[in-house]
Amino acid sequence: MRAAVVTTFGGPEVVRIVESEVPEPAAGQVRIKVAAAALNPVDVGVRTGVFGGAGQQFGLGWDVAGTVDATGAGSAWNVGDEVVALDYGMLKPLGTHAEYVVVPTDAVALAPKTVDAVAAATLPLNALAAVQALDLLELTPDQSLLVTGAAGAVGGYAVQLAARRGISVTALARAEDEEFVRSLGAARLVTGAVGAGSVDAVLDAAVLGEAALEWVRDGGGYAGVIPRAYPAPVRGVRVGAIEVRADGARLAELVRLVDEGALTLRVAEAYALEDAPKAHARLAEGGVRGRLVLVP
């Protein structure tokens, strides 16, 4: 099968399409024939060596939408099931940017029925990150939340999910994104500095760190989206960051929200798998609204 990998670190040009053996599912695993797989910033981190591992081959891709085509012992899935899944792992020899991928059976959920595979592939990583960060904050409906990077992939899901919980959401985004973030459920938009101590919590999808922490009231909460990358606690503010977890049951809940029209999936552009270097180059240009998606 074909797969996108890196064997050296650098720019988009280091992404290679290689031939590899089709992986076989072990007990408790399923193999998915990939229909589409999103490109995320974490893939850029792998490509550029942020996570280390020089001199090895690393596969790219965490999100997948496709069809189960083989199962290991103990799997609850059937060949032919249309599914989505999160293939967790910073450094792995193969990822979802391939023709086939093997994942744990409990990382899988049935695919949304109301969108195609390209759109469905944008859901797992970013939506799970958003909902797990909200869970970390433990906000109640009478509280307020600031979402930084609210027009981005994680931030957009966070706005929608928080608003659905009855939380008052302030979106930090560009002025030109006001209509969009309000359509997601944000009560108001801010485009610059927010008043010190003005919200109960911040979900820092833009990774602003200490600057965002200043906007949280004493005793409030801060949730980051990069593991171990969060500011030191001050004024009794609880701080932490999620390391996104594969969770098929939670993913199934998010799929249900997609089918109910409560979650907006955004595809910026689709690329053939062999054009993965071009997709990386486009992401590096910036200004992408939605996810770039690779199609084998």
Side-chain angles (χ1 to χ4, degrees):
M1 70 167 188
R2 295 171 303 144
V5 304
V6 294
T7 55
T8 186
F9 300 138
E13 71 282 354
V14 305
V15 178
R16 301 172 53 213
I17 306 301
V18 300
E19 288 291 334
S20 180
E21 294 290 329
V22 175
E24 293 295 331
Q29 294 181 323
V30 299
R31 185 173 69 208
I32 299 170
K33 180 176 173 56
V34 178
L39 174 63
N40 288 286
V42 67
D43 299 307
V44 177
V46 173
R47 190 197 79 214
T48 56
V50 168
F51 308 113
Q56 303 176 60
Q57 173 180 300
F58 296 120
L60 302 170
W62 289 46
D63 290 309
V64 60
T67 305
V68 173
D69 92 314
T71 62
S75 171
W77 298 98
N78 299 308
V79 171
D81 287 338
E82 294 184 1
V83 296
V84 290
L86 178 68
D87 180 25
Y88 173 87
M90 301 288 181
L91 302 176
K92 51 201 176 188
L94 294 171
T96 64
H97 295 173
E99 293 182 291
Y100 296 88
V101 65
V102 167
V103 298
T105 188
D106 59 4
V108 180
L110 286 174
K113 294 181 173 60
T114 55
V115 299
D116 64 15
V118 171
T122 67
L123 179 70
L125 176 59
N126 295 292
L128 283 170
V131 76
Q132 290 170 11
L134 286 173
D135 291 346
L136 183 64
L137 290 170
E138 299 181 324
L139 293 174
T140 56
D142 59 330
Q143 292 186 295
S144 59
L145 172 70
L146 173 70
V147 177
T148 71
V154 175
Y157 286 131
V159 171
Q160 290 179 291
L161 292 166
R164 186 177 177 83
R165 296 182 183 188
I167 297 163
S168 177
V169 180
T170 296
L172 177 61
R174 298 175 183 174
E176 56 264 35
D177 289 320
E178 180 170 7
E179 181 178 353
F180 173 67
V181 297
R182 286 189 180 276
S183 76
L184 299 180
R188 69 183 184 117
L189 170 82
V190 292
T191 59
V194 183
S198 61
V199 293
D200 291 308
V202 63
L203 194 159
D204 191 15
V207 198
L208 301 182
E210 292 181 1
L213 186 62
E214 289 301 312
W215 303 328
V216 181
R217 66 164 174 80
D218 294 0
Y222 170 101
V225 295
I226 298 177
R228 297 173 296 281
Y230 50 85
V234 294
R235 300 178 288 103
V237 177
R238 295 178 294 107
V239 301
I242 57 115
E243 181 166 355
V244 68
R245 305 181 308 280
D247 185 336
R250 204 62 184 280
L251 184 55
E253 295 174 8
L254 295 166
V255 167
R256 178 177 57 80
L257 294 179
V258 171
D259 283 337
E260 290 176 359
L263 280 184
T264 301
L265 306 181
R266 290 182 290 160
V267 176
E269 192 172 353
Y271 291 79
L273 178 62
E274 56 265 29
D275 290 329
K278 294 181 181 178
H280 278 256
R282 175 64 189 94
L283 185 60
E285 291 173 1
V288 177
R289 284 291 180 261
R291 280 287 173 249
L292 305 173
V293 180
L294 299 178
V295 179

